[in-house]
Amino acid sequence: MEAGAATVVRSPFGMSRAFNSVGRSGAYVPDFVRLGTKLPPSIKHYTSIYQPSSGHRRVGFGNRRCLVVWASSSPDSAGSTAPIAPLQLESPIGQFLSQILISHPHLVPAAVEQQLEQLQTDRDAEKKKEEPSASGTDLVLSRRIAEVKANERRKALEEILYTLVVQKFMDANISLIPTIAPSSSDPPGQVDVWPSQDDKLEQLHSPEAYEMIQNHLALILGSRAADSTAVAQISKLRVGQVYAASVMYGYFLKRVDQRFQLEKTMKILPNALNEAESDTQPAAGGNKKASGEEFPSQGVASHPEVSSWSGGMSPGGFNQGIKASRLRNYVMSFDGETLQRYATIRSKEAVSIIEKHTEALFGRPEIVITPQGTVDSSKDELIRISFAGLKRLVLEAATFGSFLWDVESHVDSRYHFVMN
């Protein structure tokens, strides 16, 4: 089955369910941050192998190998620099689009349209093909071939979506953060050597959406959000989980902001949101829903990593950084069913992209589950990163999620794969 709303993922990066805690304090607090949830026990040990050689370079993930496309400073330059995105594409269509993205980025939309038409033709031909009337081996073989072809189409579709997301970053003149490789020094060096592009990332969101992203940052960084020069030693696994959660938050935020902006343009927003005082309400710690229920912040600072980033703030301290906004109040006006629907990533392909991109950026960690069901953190790698670097990671992740919503909707209008 190629389509379907996906809510369950195998990744260790905190995507074990649809993020159902959006309404707790007005911005999404991932479950692992709030309650320190356990990771699924089915995670396998998995290592990545990287073996550069002359000419084209290849990367292996487990027993897979893929062609890596590298960006050059000019068409005539013999050397090459870093790849334009952490995740390297493996399918023939993905590698073709990677080459187009490097050499002729303006042709990517036309190339994508052509590939989608071919995928549609292949899918239609597969549907028209009749299964063998005979039972037994021929029927099993026929179904297996159809399954393999469907998986190939799905992989190609994922890489088309990923290419379009990367192109949107290129169009905005923003470089994606490169793979955070394991440090060979002791103590480890600071990993965030990338330039700050916060201003460019801010311009890609509406003012209302960026307010929500600022609240999300306040929940994660706490009082250290403005301390850009401070450097912390943090679990790489936890940073990866925060990145994946922020991608999902950006996806959700773009989805609700699109509806908000439409209703705002049509002047059909709820009356309470059109009042001027809604922009100057007290901080979220004093906000209440229409029913009078307070937004609890229980457990936000209980996670050891969040506590270390925020300087040991109390749960109430987190809410003090949350500012009221029209978009936040708009989200709070949703009923439970609508909120759950908007907080669910619509396709398996989008979920897979988030998982693979995060693993390509941070590596696939070695997860060990103790007999008590907890995670053994003794082998967890620690990285040194500034709070400015953490902010850049979260901003990029939220923008990645926003772009993913855009390209998923665009591609689905031409090659239907999202289940309503």
Side-chain angles (χ1 to χ4, degrees), residues 39-147:
L39 298 177
S42 59
I43 298 171
K44 299 178 181 178
H45 291 191
Y46 197 98
T47 57
S48 298
I49 303 172
Y50 173 63
Q51 296 177 327
S53 59
S54 59
H56 288 300
R57 304 189 180 188
R58 292 185 177 271
V59 164
F61 297 94
N63 59 357
R64 300 175 297 165
R65 289 186 177 274
C66 61
L67 181 67
V68 178
V69 179
W70 299 77
S72 301
S73 56
S74 68
D76 300 326
S77 62
S80 59
T81 57
I84 59 175
L87 179 61
Q88 310 307 328
L89 308 184
E90 300 174 331
S91 72
I93 290 178
Q95 293 183 22
F96 167 71
L97 292 176
S98 295
Q99 296 285 0
I100 298 295
L101 194 61
I102 297 299
S103 58
H104 301 91
H106 61 286
L107 297 179
V108 168
V112 165
E113 292 290 337
Q114 185 182 46
Q115 297 303 325
L116 291 175
E117 287 179 8
Q118 185 60 51
L119 288 179
Q120 184 66 54
T121 300
D122 293 344
R123 185 167 67 178
D124 292 344
E126 195 68 30
K127 288 181 180 178
K128 293 178 181 178
K129 189 182 298 182
E130 296 182 0
E131 287 189 344
S133 56
S135 59
T137 306
D138 290 343
L139 183 59
V140 172
L141 182 59
S142 175
R143 290 179 176 176
R144 177 57 182 159
I145 291 174
E147 181 183 343

Side-chain angles (χ1 to χ4, degrees), residues 314-327:
S314 64
F318 272 85
N319 268 348
Q320 291 174 10
I322 304 303
K323 299 179 181 178
S325 68
R326 294 180 71 191
L327 183 57

Side-chain angles (χ1 to χ4, degrees), residues 68-232:
V68 178
V69 179
W70 299 77
S72 301
S73 56
S74 68
D76 300 326
S77 62
S80 59
T81 57
I84 59 175
L87 179 61
Q88 310 307 328
L89 308 184
E90 300 174 331
S91 72
I93 290 178
Q95 293 183 22
F96 167 71
L97 292 176
S98 295
Q99 296 285 0
I100 298 295
L101 194 61
I102 297 299
S103 58
H104 301 91
H106 61 286
L107 297 179
V108 168
V112 165
E113 292 290 337
Q114 185 182 46
Q115 297 303 325
L116 291 175
E117 287 179 8
Q118 185 60 51
L119 288 179
Q120 184 66 54
T121 300
D122 293 344
R123 185 167 67 178
D124 292 344
E126 195 68 30
K127 288 181 180 178
K128 293 178 181 178
K129 189 182 298 182
E130 296 182 0
E131 287 189 344
S133 56
S135 59
T137 306
D138 290 343
L139 183 59
V140 172
L141 182 59
S142 175
R143 290 179 176 176
R144 177 57 182 159
I145 291 174
E147 181 183 343
V148 169
K149 289 182 178 179
N151 289 336
E152 289 176 349
R153 287 195 298 272
R154 181 184 170 192
K155 186 176 185 63
L157 182 60
E158 287 179 12
E159 298 193 348
I160 287 173
L161 292 167
Y162 189 77
T163 299
L164 291 174
V165 171
V166 174
Q167 187 195 30
K168 290 178 77 71
F169 276 100
M170 293 178 65
D171 289 345
N173 197 27
I174 295 174
S175 301
L176 284 164
I177 294 173
T179 299
I180 299 177
S183 176
S184 57
S185 60
D186 189 18
Q190 189 171 331
V191 298
D192 54 317
V193 293
W194 48 80
S196 172
Q197 302 187 71
D198 294 358
D199 292 340
K200 292 181 181 179
L201 290 165
E202 178 181 354
Q203 294 171 8
L204 298 173
H205 304 274
S206 70
E208 294 87 354
Y210 192 71
E211 279 185 319
M212 293 282 283
I213 294 174
Q214 291 289 85
N215 287 343
H216 181 65
L217 278 166
L219 283 171
I220 294 173
L221 302 181
S223 63
R224 309 298 295 272
D227 191 2
S228 59
T229 58
V231 177

Side-chain angles (χ1 to χ4, degrees), residues 121-379:
T121 300
D122 293 344
R123 185 167 67 178
D124 292 344
E126 195 68 30
K127 288 181 180 178
K128 293 178 181 178
K129 189 182 298 182
E130 296 182 0
E131 287 189 344
S133 56
S135 59
T137 306
D138 290 343
L139 183 59
V140 172
L141 182 59
S142 175
R143 290 179 176 176
R144 177 57 182 159
I145 291 174
E147 181 183 343
V148 169
K149 289 182 178 179
N151 289 336
E152 289 176 349
R153 287 195 298 272
R154 181 184 170 192
K155 186 176 185 63
L157 182 60
E158 287 179 12
E159 298 193 348
I160 287 173
L161 292 167
Y162 189 77
T163 299
L164 291 174
V165 171
V166 174
Q167 187 195 30
K168 290 178 77 71
F169 276 100
M170 293 178 65
D171 289 345
N173 197 27
I174 295 174
S175 301
L176 284 164
I177 294 173
T179 299
I180 299 177
S183 176
S184 57
S185 60
D186 189 18
Q190 189 171 331
V191 298
D192 54 317
V193 293
W194 48 80
S196 172
Q197 302 187 71
D198 294 358
D199 292 340
K200 292 181 181 179
L201 290 165
E202 178 181 354
Q203 294 171 8
L204 298 173
H205 304 274
S206 70
E208 294 87 354
Y210 192 71
E211 279 185 319
M212 293 282 283
I213 294 174
Q214 291 289 85
N215 287 343
H216 181 65
L217 278 166
L219 283 171
I220 294 173
L221 302 181
S223 63
R224 309 298 295 272
D227 191 2
S228 59
T229 58
V231 177
Q233 187 161 291
I234 305 172
S235 160
K236 190 176 182 181
L237 171 62
R238 298 305 182 193
V239 176
Q241 289 177 321
V242 168
Y243 187 92
S246 298
V247 174
M248 292 189 288
Y249 182 62
Y251 179 98
F252 159 79
L253 200 55
K254 183 56 180 282
R255 191 173 186 178
V256 296
D257 186 50
Q258 199 172 62
R259 170 173 160 172
F260 173 82
Q261 298 299 335
L262 176 61
E263 294 187 9
K264 178 181 173 184
T265 302
M266 298 176 67
K267 301 185 185 303
I268 59 173
L269 285 172
N271 291 333
L273 294 174
N274 287 318
E275 297 176 359
E277 57 265 29
S278 65
D279 290 328
T280 57
Q281 289 179 355
N287 281 342
K288 296 186 179 182
K289 298 180 74 171
S291 63
E293 176 189 355
E294 295 186 3
F295 297 128
S297 57
Q298 59 184 8
V300 173
S302 63
H303 193 285
E305 295 299 334
V306 174
S307 299
S308 67
W309 299 351
S310 60
M313 293 178 62
S314 64
F318 272 85
N319 268 348
Q320 291 174 10
I322 304 303
K323 299 179 181 178
S325 68
R326 294 180 71 191
L327 183 57
R328 177 183 177 277
N329 293 338
Y330 178 72
V331 172
M332 293 300 99
S333 71
F334 291 176
D335 59 64
E337 182 181 349
T338 301
L339 186 61
Q340 179 63 31
R341 178 164 54 87
Y342 273 76
T344 301
I345 296 177
R346 298 183 300 172
S347 68
K348 295 178 181 178
E349 289 79 6
V351 173
S352 180
I353 287 171
I354 298 173
E355 178 184 346
K356 291 177 180 178
H357 175 74
T358 306
E359 289 178 358
L361 184 57
F362 294 95
R364 188 145 191 169
E366 182 178 351
I367 306 296
V368 178
I369 307 299
T370 65
Q372 292 74 29
T374 59
V375 178
D376 181 3
S377 60
S378 61
K379 295 186 178 180

